[in-house]
Amino acid sequence: MRLHRLTLRNFRGVKDRTVDLPGIGTTVIVGDNEVGKSSLVEAFALVFDFPDDSKSTRIRDIQPVGQDVAPEVTVELTLGGRELTYTKRWLKNRSTELSVVEPDGRRQTFTGREAHNEAERLFAENVDPVLWQTLMVGQGQSLVLPTPADAEPLITAVTAESGTPVDGASMPLVTAVEHEYLRYWTRGGRPTGDFAKSAQHVAAAELAAEQALKAMDEVLSDIRRAERLALDVADLSGRLETHLESVEDLRERKKATDEILLRRDSIRSRAETARARLENHTRTRLERERLLADVERFTRADLDLAERRSEAETVARKASEVVHAAEAALAEVVELKDERRAEVQDVERLVSALMDRAELDRLLGQQTELVDVRARIAAAGAVLDAILVDDALVTALEDARAKVVEARAALAAGVPEVSVRRLGGEAVELSGTGLDAGAGQKAPSSLGEDGSIELLVSGELVVGVPGAVEVRVRAGGEAATLRAAVDEAVRREKDLLKKARVKDLAAARELLRKGDLASAELQEARRTERSLTSGGDPAERIAVLTSRLGFVEGEEAEEPAAKQPADVSVPGQMSLFEQFEPDENAFDFAELEIPEPLEVGELAVAQRRLENARAGLAEAERLLADAEFAAAQARKAADEDRSEAQQARARAELAGERLAAAVEALEAARAVLADDEVEAAEVEATGEVEAVLDELTAVQEQVDEAGADRVADELANALAVADRLRRERDGLRDSLRTTEGRLEQSGRDGLATRRDTAELELAAIRLEHESLKRRADAARRVYETLGRHRAEAQTKYSEPLQTRIEALGRTVYGPSFRVWLDDDLAVAERELDGARLRVDALSTGAQEQLAIITRLAISHLVSTGEGSVPVIFDDALGWSDKARLRDMGALLGRAGDHGQVIILTCMPDRYESVPRATYLKLES
C-alpha cells in the first residue's frame, strides 16, 4: 500500500487541507502544535473504519466545536496494484464515493454503503491489520516495542528469506489444534470447559460418598458413646449420694465446736485490752525518764556554751584590730602603683610616636611601588579593551579564508579560463560580467601594447578589436552558482575582518598574540597590587599617620592615580607599557613636612625606658596584690571570728530556752503522777496481762483437742465437691440425651441407602471423566508437539528479522550492537559494548530508538510484497541526544529508499540529518 494524497475538510481544527505524499522516500510533515498533524493519521483510519451514517462518538468528536458542518476526508492510494480514490462525508449530507482503477486500466465507481463495503474488503484483503498497527506509530506511542509475530506478511517475508517453512503446519491446522486444545485446557495448562467441570463432578461425588460413609461411622460412634455415658451417669450418682452423707456429719461437728470458739474469742478481746493498758503505762514511764535526762543534759550544755561565748567575743575584738592595720598598708601601696602607672603611660606615648614615624617611612616606599603597579594595570586594561579579536573570531576567520580558497578553486575548475594577448598595434578592448583576473582583481577594460591577461569567466567575456573582430565567451549554467559561492565566501570573510577591525588574517593573529601578552601582564600586575594592599590601602594608613603626627600642611592628600595610555588603537609589543608614567597631578608626598630620621638608638632607648617603667609598675602591682591579699585575709578572719561570736551567743541563748522548757515539762508531768507511782502502775498492768494469757492458753488447748479450727474449712470443701459432682452428673445426662436424639434421627434418615447411592454415582462419574481425560491428554500431546515444532521453525525464521534489526542498529550504535527476539518476534534483550540488558532496563531514549529500528527492519522485509504498508511516526525521537538524532536521521533517510516513510513533527530540528527527505510545511 502507498499513500499519495490526503484531503481534509471541516475535520477538527482543519478547515480545508490537502497533503501530497511521494510514493517512496522519507517525508517529514512539519507543523506547530494544534495545526492538525495527528489529524492526518486519524482521518485515514476513520475513513476505512466508520460508514458515513455512523453515530460513534469518534465521528462526532471530529466535527469542529460550535460549527454545523460536515467532516469530509478524501484519500488517494495504491492498494494491491489498484489506484483508489475514496471520499467520505459524515453527519450532514452524508456520502461515500469510491473510484477503483484496475491494473489493466479498467475503472469502477461505487457509492453509498456499497462503496464502504468494497473499500473495507480491499483494505482487509491487501493490508494486514497487525502489520498496519505495528508500523503506524501514533502520538505518545514511540516507546512501545512492536510484537509482530501475528503479522502474516512479516511471517511470509521471513519464511521466504530464511527458506524455512513451518514444518507443514499451516495456519488452519494450527488454529484447529489450538481450538481443540482450548476445549480442555487453558493456555497456562489448567483444565477448562467440560473437562474441568467433569473433574469438579468427580470431586463432588467423591465428597458425597465420603460424607455418607462418614455419617455411618458417626452413627456407630454415637451408639458406643450412649452406652458409655449411661454407665458414667450411674457411677457418678452413687458417688454423689455417699459424699452428701459425709457433708451432714461435718455440719453436726461444726455446731458442737462453735461454743468453744466463741469463748476463745472473748478471752482474746480481754487480752488485747490488757496489752493496750500495759503499753500505755510503759510509754508513760519512758517519757518520764526522757524528761529527767533532758533536764540534766540541757543544764550541762548551758554552762559549757556560756564559757565558749566569752572566748569568741575576745577573739573577735583582736581580729578587728588586725584589719585596721592591713587597710592602712594597702592605701600606701595603691598610691605607689598610681605613680608608676602614670610613668608607664608617658613612656608608651613616646614609643608609639616613634613607631608611627618608622611605619610612615615604610608605607611611603610601598605607596610609590603601588602607583607604578596601578599604572601598569591601566595600560594593560586599555590595550585589552582596544582588541576585538578572540580565539573564536580567529577560528571563524581561518574557516572563512579556507572557504574562499575552496570556492575559488572550485570556480577555477568549473569555469573556462581565457588567455588574451595583444599582438599588433590595434587596440584590444575587454568587457563583460563575472570576470576574475586572479587574487580577486578586476579585469582591465583594454590591453596595452604587447600586453596579455588570463581571465576566469563565470559570466560572459567580450574581446573586441574596434572595426575588426569581436569574440564572446560564455560560461556554462553551473558557473553562476560557483561565482555566487565565491562572492558569498569573500563577503563572509570581509564581514569578519570588519568585525575584528583588521586588514587580514595575519593581522588578526598578531592582535590575538598581543592580547595574550597584555592579559598576562595584567594578571601579574594585579597579583602584585593584591600583595601590596593585602593589609589595606597604604594611602589610607599614610593619611592617618601624618594626621596623627601633625606633618600634613594644606589640603588632605589624595590617592595617586595612574596615567591612561595616550593611544591604544593599534596595540604594539610589551614595550608599550613602559611608556606610561604617573600623572603629573598625582598626589606628591614631597609636600609632607617630615622631620629628620630618628637618631640611631633613640627608639631602642625609649623602649628600654618603657621596659623599666613597666617592670616598676609590675613590682608595684605585685606589692599591691600582696597588700590586698593580706587585707582580704584579715577581713575574712575578722568576719569569721565575728560570726563565731554571734553563733556562740545564739547557741547559749537557745540552750537556756531548752533547759527552761524541759524543767517546765517535767514539773507538769509530776503534777499528774509522781515518779514512784509511774513504775507501780506499770507493774500492776504487767500482772493483769499474764493472767489473761494463761486463761487463753487453757481455752486454745480445748479448741485444738476438738479440731474446731478445721471443721469450717472441711465443710466448705465438702460442699464445693458436692456441687462439682452434681454439675458433672447433669452434663453427662445432657450428652446422653443428645446422643440418643441423633441415633433416633439417623434411623429415620436412611443413611445406609444414601451411602450405597453415592458409591454408585461416583463410579459412573469417574467412568465419564476418564473418557474425557483421554481425549484431553491426546489434544495436549498434539498441541505441545505442534508447538515444539513451531518454536523450532520460529527460531529459524526469526533470524532474518534479527539480522535486519542488527544491521540497521549497527549503523547507529556500532559493530557491537546485537539483539535477541522472544517467541512473538519482539526484541527482548540488547547487547552493546559487551553489556547485555533487558529492554525494560534501557533508558527511555534507547527504548524509543530500538522501537523505531525494529519497525524499519519490518518495513524493509515486507517492502517488496503486496502486503507492504507505509511507516508512520507521529512525534518521535523526543528522548534522543544530538549525536543519536544525527545517526537516527541518516537511518530514516536510508529507510525511505525501500518504502514510504512518513514523519509528523512540530520540531523539525530533530530530523535535519535525514538525507534526501521531502519536507512539507503545514500552516495554521
Side-chain angles (χ1 to χ4, degrees):
M1 180 179 73
R2 292 289 183 267
L3 301 179
H4 303 301
R5 175 176 291 179
L6 192 60
T7 300
L8 279 64
R9 296 184 180 88
N10 301 319
F11 194 100
R12 292 192 183 276
V14 179
K15 185 175 182 180
D16 191 346
R17 173 174 293 137
T18 298
V19 178
D20 293 312
L21 301 169
I24 193 169
T26 302
T27 302
V28 180
I29 300 177
V30 180
D32 296 335
N33 291 327
E34 307 295 334
V35 80
K37 301 184 300 298
S38 300
S39 297
L40 299 175
V41 181
E42 183 184 16
F44 187 83
L46 294 179
V47 77
F48 281 96
D49 290 346
F50 293 93
D52 55 29
D53 58 353
S54 173
K55 304 299 182 182
S56 171
T57 56
R58 292 185 61 186
I59 296 300
R60 291 197 298 270
D61 287 345
I62 65 175
Q63 185 181 38
V65 177
Q67 300 183 33
D68 188 17
V69 293
E72 181 179 327
V73 176
T74 299
V75 58
E76 298 179 17
L77 68 157
T78 299
L79 194 61
R82 302 176 180 87
E83 296 180 2
L84 276 65
T85 301
Y86 190 26
T87 301
K88 186 171 290 184
R89 186 167 56 246
W90 293 275
L91 301 179
K92 292 189 65 178
N93 301 323
R94 300 188 305 270
S95 67
T96 302
E97 299 177 0
L98 174 64
S99 173
V100 181
V101 178
E102 299 290 340
D104 58 4
R106 292 183 298 106
R107 179 183 295 274
Q108 300 182 69
T109 302
F110 305 90
T111 59
R113 176 63 72 168
E114 182 183 14
H116 174 81
N117 294 338
E118 180 65 14
E120 189 177 55
R121 183 187 69 79
L122 291 174
F123 191 80
E125 183 181 293
N126 293 278
V127 177
D128 180 77
V130 176
L131 185 63
W132 171 245
Q133 293 298 325
T134 298
L135 298 186
M136 184 176 66
V137 184
Q139 193 172 31
Q141 298 176 342
S142 61
L143 295 177
V144 180
L145 282 168
T147 54
D150 294 331
E152 289 295 332
L154 177 62
I155 300 302
T156 302
V158 296
T159 301
E161 186 163 323
S162 64
T164 305
V166 194
D167 289 350
S170 63
M171 294 304 292
L173 175 60
V174 172
T175 302
V177 170
E178 183 177 12
H179 178 73
E180 183 65 17
Y181 171 80
L182 293 177
R183 285 183 57 192
Y184 305 103
W185 307 94
T186 66
R187 294 191 183 276
R190 296 188 300 276
T192 188
D194 293 339
F195 181 44
K197 292 178 181 177
S198 176
Q200 294 172 358
H201 292 161
V202 171
E206 290 176 345
L207 179 61
E210 181 181 355
Q211 290 175 345
L213 183 60
K214 183 178 179 181
M216 287 297 298
D217 293 340
E218 290 177 353
V219 169
L220 296 176
S221 176
D222 284 343
I223 292 173
R224 292 190 293 271
R225 177 179 174 83
E227 294 174 351
R228 186 174 64 254
L229 288 172
L231 293 175
D232 291 342
V233 169
D235 177 65
L236 198 57
S237 297
R239 289 166 53 195
L240 179 60
E241 291 178 0
T242 302
H243 185 73
L244 290 176
E245 292 176 358
S246 65
V247 169
E248 291 300 324
D249 293 340
L250 287 172
R251 283 177 176 160
E252 292 299 326
R253 286 180 58 196
K254 187 174 183 303
K255 290 179 182 179
T257 58
D258 284 347
E259 183 179 353
I260 300 175
L261 293 175
L262 287 174
R263 189 164 65 251
R264 185 189 65 181
D265 292 341
S266 176
I267 295 172
R268 282 180 175 174
S269 176
R270 287 165 50 205
E272 291 297 327
T273 302
R275 285 195 189 95
R277 189 179 297 111
L278 175 61
E279 290 176 358
N280 187 33
H281 287 300
T282 300
R283 283 196 298 273
T284 301
R285 178 182 59 80
L286 294 174
E287 177 64 17
R288 183 64 53 85
E289 291 175 353
R290 185 187 65 78
L291 288 174
L292 290 171
D294 285 348
V295 169
E296 183 180 358
R297 179 165 55 86
F298 289 148
T299 299
R300 290 195 303 270
D302 184 60
L303 295 175
D304 182 62
L305 290 173
E307 184 179 356
R308 291 184 182 179
R309 172 182 177 182
S310 177
E311 293 175 354
E313 289 175 347
T314 300
V315 171
R317 284 193 298 271
K318 292 180 179 180
S320 178
E321 295 173 357
V322 172
V323 168
H324 288 310
E327 288 179 346
L330 177 61
E332 293 177 359
V333 175
V334 168
E335 184 177 355
L336 175 62
K337 177 189 171 184
D338 291 340
E339 293 174 356
R340 293 187 177 178
R341 177 183 291 118
E343 181 183 359
V344 168
Q345 290 174 350
D346 292 340
V347 178
E348 283 179 344
R349 283 193 291 271
L350 174 61
V351 171
S352 177
L354 294 176
M355 292 180 68
D356 286 345
R357 287 172 57 185
E359 175 68 8
L360 180 60
D361 292 339
R362 185 187 66 81
L363 290 174
L364 288 172
Q366 183 176 336
Q367 180 66 19
T368 301
E369 184 179 357
L370 183 61
V371 169
D372 180 63
V373 167
R374 286 175 174 169
R376 291 168 57 197
I377 291 174
V383 171
L384 290 175
D385 291 341
I387 295 177
L388 303 179
V389 178
D390 56 13
D391 290 335
L393 189 55
V394 170
T395 301
L397 281 169
E398 291 173 346
D399 292 341
R401 172 93 305 249
K403 289 181 180 179
V404 169
V405 174
E406 292 174 0
R408 284 179 172 164
L411 179 66
V415 301
E417 182 178 2
V418 179
S419 177
V420 182
R421 189 169 73 173
R422 179 176 174 180
L423 300 177
E426 298 295 333
V428 177
E429 297 178 351
L430 302 176
S431 63
T433 60
L435 305 180
D436 191 345
Q441 300 296 324
K442 294 184 177 180
S445 59
S446 62
L447 293 179
E449 293 184 4
D450 296 330
S452 64
I453 191 171
E454 293 182 354
L455 299 173
L456 294 176
V457 182
S458 57
E460 181 183 51
L461 169 65
V462 179
V463 182
V465 178
V469 67
E470 182 180 89
V471 179
R472 291 180 180 272
V473 179
R474 292 188 179 89
E478 189 179 359
T481 302
L482 295 175
R483 166 57 64 184
V486 171
D487 293 342
E488 175 61 23
V490 170
R491 184 195 62 77
R492 172 63 177 167
E493 182 183 29
K494 288 181 178 179
D495 290 344
L496 291 174
L497 290 173
K498 182 178 180 181
K499 180 179 179 181
R501 296 183 183 177
V502 293
K503 63 180 181 179
D504 53 22
L505 178 59
R509 288 171 174 163
E510 177 63 15
L511 276 183
L512 183 62
R513 185 185 68 81
K514 292 178 179 179
D516 292 339
L517 293 175
S519 178
E521 171 69 8
L522 179 61
Q523 293 177 3
E524 176 61 27
R526 283 178 174 167
R527 281 196 297 270
T528 303
E529 182 187 29
R530 286 194 297 271
S531 175
L532 292 173
T533 59
S534 60
D537 194 336
E540 296 177 359
R541 182 63 178 163
I542 289 171
V544 171
L545 291 176
T546 54
S547 175
R548 183 188 302 168
L549 295 173
F551 297 150
V552 177
E553 293 183 357
E555 297 181 355
E556 184 179 358
E558 298 180 354
E559 181 182 357
K563 181 179 179 181
Q564 298 297 324
D567 184 10
V568 292
S569 59
V570 183
Q573 304 297 326
M574 286 303 296
S575 59
L576 275 175
F577 302 119
E578 300 173 358
Q579 301 172 7
F580 295 104
E581 297 295 340
D583 192 346
E584 294 179 357
N585 298 321
F587 181 73
D588 187 1
F589 290 97
E591 296 179 0
L592 293 176
E593 293 186 3
I594 301 175
E596 294 297 327
L598 297 175
E599 294 182 2
V600 177
E602 184 177 352
L603 179 58
V605 170
Q607 289 175 338
R608 284 195 297 273
R609 284 183 58 194
L610 178 60
E611 291 175 359
N612 295 333
R614 285 175 175 171
L617 177 60
E619 176 64 20
E621 289 176 344
R622 183 186 64 78
L623 294 175
L624 176 61
D626 292 342
E628 288 177 342
F629 178 75
Q633 290 296 104
R635 292 190 195 99
K636 180 179 179 183
D639 291 341
E640 291 176 353
D641 292 339
R642 281 195 298 272
S643 176
E644 181 64 24
Q646 291 172 357
Q647 292 176 3
R649 285 194 296 271
R651 286 194 293 270
E653 292 173 357
L654 179 61
E657 293 175 356
R658 288 179 177 177
L659 176 59
V663 171
E664 183 180 356
L666 179 60
E667 293 299 328
R670 284 174 175 172
V672 175
L673 193 65
D675 294 344
D676 54 348
E677 293 176 351
V678 170
E679 185 175 356
E682 183 181 13
V683 171
E684 182 183 354
T686 301
E688 184 181 357
V689 169
E690 291 175 353
V692 174
L693 290 177
D694 291 340
E695 187 178 356
L696 180 61
T697 300
V699 173
Q700 184 62 41
E701 289 177 354
Q702 295 178 7
V703 171
D704 293 341
E705 290 176 0
D709 289 334
R710 298 188 302 273
V711 171
D713 293 339
E714 290 176 357
L715 178 60
N717 292 337
L719 291 174
V721 171
D723 290 340
R724 180 178 58 79
L725 291 175
R726 286 193 189 94
R727 289 194 300 272
E728 291 181 1
R729 182 195 61 185
D730 294 343
L732 290 174
R733 284 176 177 175
D734 292 341
S735 299
L736 178 59
R737 285 193 293 270
T738 302
T739 303
E740 290 174 346
R742 284 202 304 269
L743 289 173
E744 184 179 356
Q745 182 64 34
S746 299
R748 291 195 296 268
D749 290 344
L751 294 179
T753 303
R754 286 173 54 195
R755 180 194 61 191
D756 296 340
T757 301
E759 290 178 348
L760 289 174
E761 290 179 355
L762 175 61
I765 291 173
R766 278 178 174 168
L767 182 63
E768 181 181 357
H769 179 68
E770 289 298 327
S771 176
L772 276 173
K773 187 174 185 302
R774 286 192 296 272
R775 292 198 296 273
D777 290 341
R780 179 162 62 180
R781 284 194 297 274
V782 173
Y783 178 76
E784 291 176 349
T785 302
L786 181 58
R788 186 172 60 257
H789 286 288
R790 285 193 71 199
E792 294 172 357
Q794 187 179 34
T795 300
K796 295 178 182 178
Y797 69 69
S798 66
E799 292 179 1
L801 178 58
Q802 179 177 345
T803 301
R804 193 62 56 92
I805 293 174
E806 289 178 348
L808 295 178
R810 284 168 185 162
T811 64
V812 177
Y813 294 102
S816 64
F817 175 81
R818 292 189 64 192
V819 295
W820 283 265
L821 307 183
D822 59 16
D823 294 340
D824 293 328
L825 298 183
V827 177
E829 297 178 352
R830 186 207 73 177
E831 180 178 320
L832 188 63
D833 296 331
R836 184 169 175 175
L837 297 173
R838 290 179 53 82
V839 169
D840 54 11
L842 299 176
S843 67
T844 303
Q847 291 185 36
E848 182 184 45
Q849 295 154 17
L850 190 56
I852 292 174
I853 291 171
T854 303
R855 288 182 169 89
L856 294 179
I858 295 171
S859 175
H860 284 193
L861 285 170
V862 303
S863 61
T864 57
E866 290 296 330
S868 64
V869 296
V871 186
I872 300 176
F873 297 108
D874 188 358
D875 195 21
L877 292 179
W879 287 272
S880 298
D881 55 41
K882 291 184 178 180
R884 288 284 183 261
L885 285 173
R886 183 179 61 251
D887 297 335
M888 291 298 294
L891 182 62
L892 289 169
R894 288 193 293 274
D897 297 338
H898 302 276
Q900 192 176 25
V901 179
I902 300 172
I903 300 170
L904 300 99
T905 183
C906 61
M907 303 291 291
D909 293 347
R910 294 181 189 169
Y911 304 97
E912 62 183 4
S913 300
V914 179
R916 300 180 299 281
T918 300
Y919 282 83
L920 301 178
K921 175 67 174 178
L922 299 184
E923 301 294 343
S924 57

